[in-house]
Amino acid sequence: MPLSQEDKQLIETAGNIIGENYDSVNWLHTVGAAVRARNGKVYVGVNCDSVSHGACAEVIAIGSAITAGEREFDTIVAVLGGKTGKILPPCGNCRQMMYLYDKNMNVIVSENTKVNVLELLKYPCE
Ligand SMILES: [Zn+2]
């Protein structure tokens, strides 16, 4: 699917949130995510580190949206900080989480491509 103007704003929002919180030395906050709920509201997150893995930025963004009462999601994107602005396709765990929360969720995987989460997760665990 081609990206809409709202999608481009979502990429910019994800890039801005990691730009504001980027820390590659102490906490390894290196990825920002933005998710747009079906009602149009946007929620953001940055990845959080821990001794084993921590949480991806997408988990934090979706968790923030869920905490605010959202249950239906339209589109999500993750952006690498540190001046690259590179769009990152989600890891396997995030793909599964996105699928479980909203099977119709779209994922921006590059500057000009977004796909339904099922295209990224051919055989989901249910
Ligand atoms: Zn992930």
Side-chain angles (χ1 to χ4, degrees), residues 53 56-59 90-95:
H53 175 66
C56 294
E58 296 97 316
V59 173
C91 75
N93 184 55
C94 284
R95 294 174 191 207

Side-chain angles (χ1 to χ4, degrees), residues 4-118:
S4 66
Q5 197 57 40
E6 287 177 319
D7 294 334
K8 291 175 182 170
Q9 289 172 352
L10 201 65
I11 296 169
E12 189 176 327
T13 300
N16 287 342
I17 201 65
I18 192 55
E20 293 168 16
N21 294 287
Y22 188 76
D23 176 358
S24 63
V25 177
N26 297 307
W27 295 104
L28 305 179
H29 299 153
T30 54
V31 179
V35 61
R36 188 174 62 245
R38 293 222 175 266
N39 62 16
K41 290 184 184 174
V42 171
Y43 300 86
V44 295
V46 300
N47 69 298
C48 292
D49 194 30
S50 185
V51 287
S52 64
H53 175 66
C56 294
E58 296 97 316
V59 173
I60 302 295
I62 290 174
S64 177
I66 288 169
T67 303
E70 304 294 351
R71 295 296 184 270
E72 296 179 323
F73 302 99
D74 184 79
T75 302
I76 190 166
V77 65
V79 172
L80 183 63
K83 298 178 184 173
T84 69
K86 183 181 176 195
I87 294 170
L88 296 176
C91 75
N93 184 55
C94 284
R95 294 174 191 207
Q96 180 69 40
M97 181 190 66
M98 292 167 188
Y99 171 80
L100 290 173
Y101 275 105
D102 193 328
K103 294 168 177 56
N104 296 313
M105 193 181 310
N106 295 312
V107 185
I108 297 172
V109 294
S110 76
E111 285 178 17
N112 48 27
T113 308
K114 77 175 169 181
V115 297
N116 179 273
V117 67
L118 264 180

